[in-house]
Amino acid sequence: MRPLRPRSPAAPPAADGRPALLVVAHGSRDPRHAATVAALCARLRRLRPGLRVATGHLDFNAPSVPQALAGLHEEGARQVVALPLLLNRAFHAKTDIPGVLGEATARLPRLSVRQAEVLGPDPLLTAALERRLRQAGLRPGDEGSTGVVLASAGSSDPEAIAVIAETAREWRLTTGWCAVRPAFASASLPRTADAVRRLRAEGVRRVAVAPYVIAPGFLPDRIAAGAREAGADLLAPVLGDAAELAELMGRRYDEAARRWPAYGDVPVSA
């Protein structure tokens, strides 16, 4: 007997011929991660009624990306936009996901998959970060006396690190923070605690830590521990199922779906 494949709750395939959407999540041993991804996808379904939204994971959680694609294929989908649930374009977006998609579609020759762009950088993400900081207690008018640590998971990819640094510079200019410093939970320096201490040493009156991560887990917990260790005044929650994030996911889906006629039915890495 064939083993049952775990399925993601989702709407039926769209009757208007739109590609289905596969949200590609990293996965985690921490159950909060999968719960956050599920909540975010549920919010997206409410924004896009009738759009077929499924979830596949690269590791730890079910269904896997190949399982999710096979499930979509069995249900009649022939075109799928694969959306990396990633804030930055690094190893997973450049290598892992294209490889997994290529292997899966080789076994499903009637299924065409296009990889969408990663979510960041985008003004909607910094808008979500600002809202999370206000939830943590930042008050209107505090921006000019507040330094922010933009704390991401980290990467060994120089391009990804440069994008985080540029995001920090742009965010300071557009919002009016007295300073914004990038920090990383792994692979790169500085760590969150060090960035908080440097802002203190520069005379910044109030220091807030904004985790630039989607879901709770090991690395976000490390960011939080660093913020507490260095005595940050505010620690925002992770982005989670932010409305801005769901809206951005819909936009990335639209961008990839519109590109389809220009590229033909082959997997494409964004």
Side-chain angles (χ1 to χ4, degrees):
M1 180 181 294
R2 290 173 56 193
L4 294 177
R5 178 182 294 112
R7 297 290 181 85
S8 299
D16 59 6
R18 286 179 297 169
L21 172 60
L22 175 65
V23 176
V24 180
H26 185 277
S28 173
R29 293 187 179 90
D30 190 321
R32 297 173 297 170
H33 179 95
T36 301
V37 172
L40 186 55
C41 289
R43 184 183 286 276
L44 178 60
R45 292 185 189 103
R46 292 193 295 271
L47 283 177
R48 299 294 184 95
L51 175 62
R52 175 70 165 95
V53 180
T55 306
H57 301 86
L58 293 174
D59 207 351
F60 302 116
N61 303 112
S64 67
V65 172
Q67 287 174 335
L69 286 173
L72 288 168
H73 183 266
E74 288 177 7
E75 293 165 7
R78 293 297 177 263
Q79 292 182 325
V80 176
V81 170
L83 173 64
L85 196 60
L86 301 170
L87 300 178
N88 213 340
R89 182 170 161 77
F91 179 79
H92 290 307
K94 294 177 180 179
T95 303
D96 270 359
I97 294 175
V100 170
L101 295 178
E103 291 175 7
T105 52
R107 294 190 293 269
L108 301 167
R110 291 188 295 169
L111 188 67
S112 173
V113 180
R114 183 160 315 287
Q115 182 176 331
E117 292 280 2
V118 297
L119 298 175
D122 194 276
L124 279 171
L125 292 174
T126 48
L129 289 169
E130 289 169 25
R131 189 160 60 81
R132 291 302 191 217
L133 283 168
R134 299 207 182 282
Q135 290 176 355
L138 192 74
R139 298 169 299 182
D142 283 347
E143 292 84 358
S145 58
T146 301
V148 178
V149 175
L150 180 66
S152 75
S155 174
S156 58
D157 187 316
E159 177 189 350
I161 298 304
V163 169
I164 294 294
E166 180 60 25
T167 298
R169 285 191 291 268
E170 288 292 325
W171 195 20
R172 183 186 68 79
L173 292 174
T174 57
T175 305
W177 307 113
C178 69
V180 179
R181 299 284 188 273
F184 308 95
S186 67
S188 309
L189 296 174
R191 296 287 187 257
T192 301
D194 294 330
V196 171
R197 293 187 184 105
R198 288 177 189 175
L199 286 172
R200 294 278 192 221
E202 293 169 11
V204 174
R205 175 181 161 191
R206 182 185 298 105
V207 178
V209 174
Y212 191 51
V213 291
I214 294 173
F218 175 73
L219 293 179
D221 285 350
R222 181 180 285 181
I223 290 170
R228 290 191 294 268
E229 174 193 332
D233 298 286
L234 292 172
L235 171 64
V238 298
L239 292 169
D241 64 337
E244 298 90 344
L245 202 55
E247 181 181 346
L248 185 54
M249 292 167 68
R251 291 186 186 181
R252 294 291 185 258
Y253 167 84
D254 291 339
E255 292 163 2
R258 283 196 298 266
R259 295 203 319 266
W260 218 290
Y263 287 86
D265 292 343
V266 294
V268 173
S269 175

